[in-house]
Amino acid sequence: MRHACKGFLLLAFLIPHLACTRAAHEALSLAAWMNNTVAVRALLAAGANVDAKNEDGWTALMRAALHGHTATVQALLEAGADVNSKEPTKVTVLMVTADNGHTDTVQTLLEAGADVNAKDDEGWTALMWAQDRVHTEVVEILKKAGAKEAK
C-alpha cells in the first residue's frame, strides 16, 4: 500500500502534464479500480476524459462499479461520466454492478439514470445478470426501478 501512495503522490506532480494523454486516462482507470477517489478527482480536475475507454472498451466508471466502489462511482458521475456507457458487447455499467451484487452501487447508478432495461449483445439485462448470480437484493432493487422480466 505504501508504494501505491507514493505512486499517487508522484502522479499529483505529473497531472498537469498528463491531463490530455493516454497515460492520464490509464491513471484515471487505475485510480477508479483502486477506489482512490482523491486521485480520481485530481485527474478529472486536470482534464482527464471521464469517459475514456481502455483497450477492452471499459471506462473508469465501469472499473469502479465492478468492485462496488460507490464513492468513486459517485465522483465519476458528478464529473459527467456516462451512466449508460457500454463496452464492446454492449454490457453496461449497471450490468457489471448487478452481476457482482453491489447493492449500494446499483442504487447509485439507478438514481443517476441508468437504463434498467438495456440489453447486451446476448439480450441479457441487468436483472438477468443479477438473477443468474442469485443476488436477491439487487434483483429486488432492479424490479422496484422498473426492470422487466424476460419473456
Side-chain angles (χ1 to χ4, degrees), residues 11-20 46:
L11 183 61
F13 291 106
L14 296 175
I15 285 172
H17 307 289
L18 289 176
C20 295

Side-chain angles (χ1 to χ4, degrees), residues 15 35 44-45 78 90 93 99 112 116 120 137 150:
I15 285 172
N35 200 26
L44 291 169
E78 288 169 4
K90 297 197 169 100
V93 180
D99 184 49
V116 73
D120 65 14
E137 275 187 79

Side-chain angles (χ1 to χ4, degrees), residues 6-75:
K6 286 181 184 177
F8 282 116
L9 288 175
L10 176 61
L11 183 61
F13 291 106
L14 296 175
I15 285 172
H17 307 289
L18 289 176
C20 295
T21 67
R22 183 76 185 150
H25 307 317
E26 290 171 7
L28 179 63
S29 184
L30 178 62
W33 175 68
M34 294 179 68
N35 200 26
N36 190 326
T37 307
V38 172
V40 165
R41 289 184 194 280
L43 285 159
L44 291 169
N49 180 350
V50 72
D51 286 322
K53 294 186 177 189
N54 67 13
E55 62 278 355
D56 296 321
W58 282 56
T59 64
L61 181 61
M62 288 177 164
R63 297 219 38 210
L66 171 70
H67 299 289
H69 299 323
T70 306
T72 299
V73 165
Q74 189 64 46

Side-chain angles (χ1 to χ4, degrees), residues 123-146:
W124 280 52
T125 64
L127 179 62
M128 294 166 78
W129 284 86
Q131 288 171 328
D132 186 61
R133 299 281 284 221
V134 195
H135 295 306
T136 54
E137 275 187 79
V138 171
V139 167
E140 291 308 311
I141 291 169
L142 293 169
K143 285 182 177 179
K144 286 179 184 173

